[in-house]
Amino acid sequence: MTARGRFIVLEGGDGAGKGSAIASLAAGLQDDGYDVLTTREPGGTPEGLQLRALLLAAEGEVWDRGAELLLMTAARLQHVRRVIEPALVAGMVVLCDRFVGSSLAYQGGGRGIPADLILDLHRRFVGDFWPDLTVLLDIDPAVGLARSRRRLSGDGVDEGRFEELGHNFHDRVRRSFLDQAGQHASRTVVIDASRPIDVVQQDVIGQVRTRLAQFGEVDGEG
Amino acid sequence: MTARGRFIVLEGGDGAGKGSAIASLAAGLQDDGYDVLTTREPGGTPEGLQLRALLLAAEGEVWDRGAELLLMTAARLQHVRRVIEPALVAGMVVLCDRFVGSSLAYQGGGRGIPADLILDLHRRFVGDFWPDLTVLLDIDPAVGLARSRRRLSGDGVDEGRFEELGHNFHDRVRRSFLDQAGQHASRTVVIDASRPIDVVQQDVIGQVRTRLAQFGEVDGEG
């Protein structure tokens, strides 16, 4: 991993505060001297943004769940090849809002596609490419959705679609995120996102700093 | 296969005359008393049409070849579930302009994705769902592309993208179509599409009528 950046993914349900956590984390890491790129899925490329608009504009269950997964994976492939990998090669810390963990949670846990199928699709098309560190902002869906409804969508796109799928759906999504964290405990940090936003932000940056320092020690990069 | 319609796919390179062949075939089969649905890939559903517009609007190789395959498969999945399967259940003859054979030819033969990966993706997401009969309109790409340039695109979408990929590309596409025909000879008809259009159309409808009659005998549907 010499001369390679670090790929850090923030995951979590709606209203967990990923956006503000990424913004404050990026500022903190830049203060530390890292070159930081912040990006998001599925909108991190022009192509992904178009696919995101297609998915979000659909009312009800227009897209078959398998088609939805294929589109998400296509956006992810574009995103990795065109944005994330080049930034990592350039030595940057890439902070990404959602990655394959969200497909496992939403298309898998939420909509019932087997996790093996999602992971196999990822390996075949995106490749053996995973986050160096995942920060899971964990929150009770009822609390997160109430928060989410109180704020306006930052980019003008209606995000109501996933939010109208019901509490059982969002409970399954949360369970999947927590299961993934358990399976990859060595490269996942679970943050209690129900606390005040400034507390959450400080916890995120503190834990990421610790992990980045550990990465450095292991790899001899300081 | 009792009480199920027939799924007939027309395949072939640009300028092979699939559009006019399907129109005349549909008219002929309706005269014979069949209920006929004509459709196309990737535009056979509103969602597929949006994906087709995304792919065709891109200049140059904007889409990774893997992402292109994922989008084509997503469009195919929507098309099969929402349009083709319901029509077959209703006993119709479905005439489809392109299907998975075009992914094998363009993303496989043309762009170099292994056929096994394309077929595996199809099986996992679309299912064990294949044409009852494929009509391959075979033509030298140089002849087909010259024809294609002379006509206006029927739906106003710029189809120049695939046509600008060069003759080597289109030779590989043709080779793939012919290889597929060889592998599935019992359910494929190869038509020499370099002949005058009315001759091609008569050949298509004659061969399809023969095959439909054979299907009927085998299944006892008359």
Side-chain angles (χ1 to χ4, degrees):
Chain A
M1 304 263 286
T2 310
R4 178 186 178 274
R6 299 295 175 193
F7 181 39
I8 302 175
V9 173
L10 273 79
E11 296 280 14
D14 296 304
K18 294 190 309 306
S20 65
I22 282 185
S24 71
L25 178 59
L29 295 179
Q30 282 165 339
D31 287 344
D32 295 347
Y34 291 101
D35 289 327
V36 178
L37 174 75
T38 66
T39 186
R40 68 184 301 188
E41 294 222 337
T45 63
E47 300 80 55
L49 203 59
Q50 291 173 311
L51 293 178
R52 180 169 182 268
L54 277 191
L55 287 168
L56 291 174
E59 292 180 16
E61 302 220 345
V62 167
W63 289 94
D64 182 279
R65 64 184 188 174
E68 189 175 78
L69 174 63
L70 291 168
L71 265 53
M72 290 294 188
T73 306
R76 185 162 302 129
L77 174 54
Q78 293 284 116
H79 194 205
V80 169
R81 295 286 180 278
R82 309 297 164 100
V83 175
I84 299 172
E85 282 183 337
L88 292 175
V89 168
M92 301 182 82
V93 172
V94 177
L95 304 179
C96 188
D97 187 338
R98 300 196 182 283
F99 196 62
V100 66
S102 280
S103 286
L104 287 165
Y106 286 89
Q107 279 79 50
R111 299 194 68 176
I113 297 180
D116 286 351
L117 182 56
I118 298 170
L119 291 170
D120 187 67
L121 191 69
H122 181 85
R123 284 192 201 94
R124 283 167 184 254
F125 283 86
V126 180
D128 187 23
F129 185 89
W130 312 96
D132 294 305
L133 178 65
T134 296
V135 178
L136 172 59
L137 298 188
D138 178 56
I139 193 166
D140 181 325
V143 176
L145 291 173
R147 269 194 196 169
S148 185
R149 275 192 291 272
R150 281 197 301 272
R151 70 171 164 78
L152 286 172
S153 171
D155 52 9
V157 175
D158 175 17
E159 298 197 347
R161 184 166 162 274
F162 277 137
E163 297 177 8
E164 288 165 6
L165 291 167
H167 284 294
N168 283 342
F169 176 92
H170 290 286
D171 286 340
R172 294 195 301 274
V173 168
R174 184 192 195 189
R175 174 55 45 200
S176 169
F177 277 132
L178 289 170
D179 287 348
Q180 293 175 53
Q183 287 161 20
H184 306 286
S186 68
R187 50 183 167 94
T188 307
V189 170
V190 181
I191 303 280
D192 174 2
S194 66
R195 296 170 296 169
I197 193 163
D198 57 325
V199 176
V200 170
Q201 290 177 356
Q202 286 307 310
D203 196 4
V204 168
I205 194 161
Q207 301 237 24
V208 169
R209 278 179 172 140
T210 302
R211 295 298 187 112
L212 281 174
Q214 289 170 348
F215 284 141
E217 286 169 18
V218 170
D219 291 358
E221 291 176 359
Chain B
M1 305 258 286
T2 310
R4 178 186 179 272
R6 299 295 177 192
F7 181 38
I8 302 176
V9 173
L10 273 79
E11 295 280 12
D14 295 306
K18 293 191 311 304
S20 65
I22 282 186
S24 71
L25 179 58
L29 294 180
Q30 282 165 339
D31 286 346
D32 295 346
Y34 291 100
D35 289 326
V36 178
L37 175 76
T38 66
T39 187
R40 68 184 302 187
E41 295 221 336
T45 62
E47 300 81 53
L49 202 61
Q50 291 173 311
L51 293 178
R52 179 169 182 267
L54 277 191
L55 287 168
L56 290 174
E59 292 180 16
E61 302 220 345
V62 168
W63 289 94
D64 181 279
R65 63 183 187 174
E68 189 175 78
L69 173 62
L70 292 169
L71 265 53
M72 291 293 189
T73 305
R76 184 161 303 127
L77 174 54
Q78 293 284 117
H79 194 204
V80 169
R81 295 284 180 279
R82 309 297 165 99
V83 175
I84 299 172
E85 282 183 337
L88 293 175
V89 168
M92 301 183 82
V93 172
V94 176
L95 303 179
C96 187
D97 187 338
R98 301 197 182 283
F99 196 62
V100 67
S102 281
S103 285
L104 287 164
Y106 287 90
Q107 279 79 50
R111 300 195 68 176
I113 297 181
D116 285 351
L117 183 55
I118 298 169
L119 290 171
D120 188 66
L121 191 68
H122 180 86
R123 283 191 201 95
R124 283 167 184 256
F125 283 87
V126 181
D128 188 22
F129 186 89
W130 312 97
D132 294 305
L133 178 65
T134 295
V135 178
L136 172 59
L137 298 188
D138 178 57
I139 194 165
D140 182 326
V143 177
L145 291 174
R147 269 194 196 170
S148 184
R149 276 192 292 272
R150 282 198 301 272
R151 68 170 163 80
L152 286 172
S153 171
D155 52 9
V157 174
D158 176 17
E159 298 198 347
R161 184 165 163 274
F162 278 136
E163 296 177 8
E164 288 165 6
L165 292 166
H167 284 295
N168 283 341
F169 176 92
H170 290 287
D171 287 339
R172 294 195 302 275
V173 168
R174 184 191 195 190
R175 173 54 45 201
S176 169
F177 277 132
L178 289 170
D179 286 348
Q180 293 175 53
Q183 287 160 20
H184 306 287
S186 67
R187 50 183 168 94
T188 307
V189 170
V190 181
I191 303 281
D192 174 2
S194 67
R195 296 170 297 170
I197 193 164
D198 57 324
V199 177
V200 170
Q201 290 177 355
Q202 285 308 309
D203 196 4
V204 168
I205 194 162
Q207 300 236 26
V208 170
R209 279 179 172 141
T210 302
R211 294 299 186 111
L212 282 175
Q214 290 171 346
F215 283 139
E217 284 170 18
V218 170
D219 291 359
E221 292 176 359

